[in-house]
Amino acid sequence: MDYISPKEATLKVKRWPKDSIAAGRRHTVALKSNGTVTAVGDNKYGQCDVSDWRDVVAVAAGNVHMATNTGNAHTIGLKSNGTVAAVGWNKHDQCNVNDWRDIVAVEAGWRRTIGLQSDGTVVAVGRNNEGQCNVSGWRDMEAVAAGDWHTVGLQSDGTVTIVGNNRYGQCNVSGWSDIVAVSAGYLHTVGLRSDGTVAAVGLNKHDQCDVSGWNGIVAIAAGSNHTIGLRSDGTVAVVGLNKHGQCNVSGWRDIVAVAAGCAHTIGLRSDGTVVAVGDNEYGQCDVSRWHGIQLPSMMNSMDIF
């Protein structure tokens, strides 16, 4: 397996994250190696209508937490020319990204979309009731993450900045340093350090922040109430709520990327196939027939623009 360690990642100039798998509340999205996109699950708002997308280099899926009013979702695709495509629920203008340019990474949260530009600035559209879209002053960013009501930015010096709701301390990251990747869940925030250890803050009702003992981690993903860590040996660590079996990943092997939806977990194998566990009420885990999904090692070498 062609792994890139967190320490090696920090030495790569402008190694913007390019997610090839993404999981929302009720749907799952994957980028194929030919630049097209596939999706399964709930399509009530057209969030799975991605069959006509082309030249895509990264995907993101909105909506994190499980509640009666959060079945709505949207899907984002970053194209090779730095523009962005969007389908799905648009009540809060979260899909109004047609005029975005020079984008190098995308994230989708609950009712909003975040875009990282090549100059290290950030743009956002959508719901801003808690200030989660107040990113216009951000500079020198290397990555972004979107939780339900908070938005995370990773700076090039390894520090982290956050805007939005902080009711459970999910924005208390001022002491973090040497961070190389970030992820945001419903009410918690996770950071991967360059030494392969992990930090987490926020709501810990289901032990979703109990990651202090993790090591050898190369990638992270935060779901609504669970946290996923990909180890360098291709196995997966997980903590948090397991009501729907979203933490049943102990048998997974040869994994090169992970994604966490509200209550389901997705793993991309090195052969381009996908595994999934957890809530499957809408068929969001029906990925067993997928193949040819873009691998992280391939994406890291791709140039856009």
Side-chain angles (χ1 to χ4, degrees):
M1 296 175 63
D2 185 17
Y3 282 112
I4 298 176
S5 73
K7 179 62 76 175
E8 290 172 326
T10 63
L11 300 177
K12 287 184 175 291
V13 179
K14 298 300 181 185
R15 181 184 174 269
W16 293 296
K18 297 288 188 296
D19 293 329
S20 61
I21 53 174
R25 162 67 178 90
R26 298 173 177 173
H27 76 299
T28 302
V29 185
L31 170 65
K32 295 182 178 180
S33 57
N34 64 1
T36 63
V37 180
T38 186
V40 292
D42 183 29
N43 196 34
K44 181 178 180 180
Y45 288 89
Q47 60 265 44
C48 292
D49 293 343
V50 296
S51 60
D52 62 342
W53 286 7
R54 299 291 184 272
D55 300 317
V56 176
V57 296
V59 292
N63 223 328
V64 179
H65 76 272
M66 183 176 289
T68 57
N69 67 334
T70 57
N72 316 322
H74 66 297
T75 302
I76 301 297
L78 172 62
K79 296 183 179 180
S80 60
N81 64 358
T83 62
V84 179
V87 290
W89 193 44
N90 197 35
K91 181 178 180 180
H92 300 270
D93 298 329
Q94 58 265 49
C95 292
N96 293 355
V97 296
N98 290 338
D99 60 344
W100 285 10
R101 298 292 183 272
D102 204 30
I103 303 297
V104 293
V106 288
E107 283 290 329
W110 186 48
R111 307 186 183 198
R112 76 187 185 286
T113 303
I114 310 296
L116 173 62
Q117 297 174 130
S118 65
D119 63 358
T121 60
V122 180
V123 290
V125 290
R127 188 180 190 270
N128 195 35
N129 294 36
E130 290 80 28
Q132 60 268 55
C133 289
N134 295 343
V135 298
S136 60
W138 286 8
R139 299 290 184 273
D140 203 27
M141 294 295 167
E142 293 287 340
V144 289
D148 266 35
W149 298 312
H150 67 297
T151 301
V152 185
L154 172 61
Q155 296 173 273
S156 61
D157 63 358
T159 60
V160 178
T161 185
I162 300 184
V163 292
N165 184 290
N166 193 34
R167 181 178 179 182
Y168 293 94
Q170 62 264 43
C171 297
N172 296 345
V173 298
S174 59
W176 285 10
S177 60
D178 208 23
I179 302 296
V180 296
V182 288
S183 188
Y186 175 27
L187 296 168
H188 73 296
T189 303
V190 185
L192 173 63
R193 300 187 185 98
S194 66
D195 63 359
T197 61
V198 180
V201 292
L203 181 67
N204 197 34
K205 180 179 180 181
H206 303 285
D207 300 328
Q208 60 264 51
C209 292
D210 290 352
V211 296
S212 59
W214 287 5
N215 56 71
I217 303 298
V218 297
I220 53 174
S224 185
N225 291 294
H226 70 297
T227 303
I228 304 294
L230 173 62
R231 299 189 184 101
S232 59
D233 65 358
T235 62
V236 179
V238 60
V239 290
L241 183 65
N242 195 34
K243 181 179 179 181
H244 298 274
Q246 62 263 49
C247 295
N248 296 344
V249 298
S250 60
W252 287 9
R253 299 291 184 273
D254 208 25
I255 303 297
V256 297
V258 289
C262 170
H264 70 295
T265 303
I266 306 298
L268 172 61
R269 296 192 187 106
S270 63
D271 65 357
T273 61
V274 179
V275 289
V277 292
D279 181 27
N280 195 36
E281 182 179 358
Y282 296 88
Q284 61 265 50
C285 291
D286 294 345
V287 298
S288 61
R289 295 185 179 182
W290 285 3
H291 60 87
I293 305 304
Q294 184 77 288
L295 302 179
S297 59
M298 296 171 63
M299 289 184 293
N300 290 335
S301 64
M302 290 179 65
D303 293 326
I304 69 173
F305 306 135

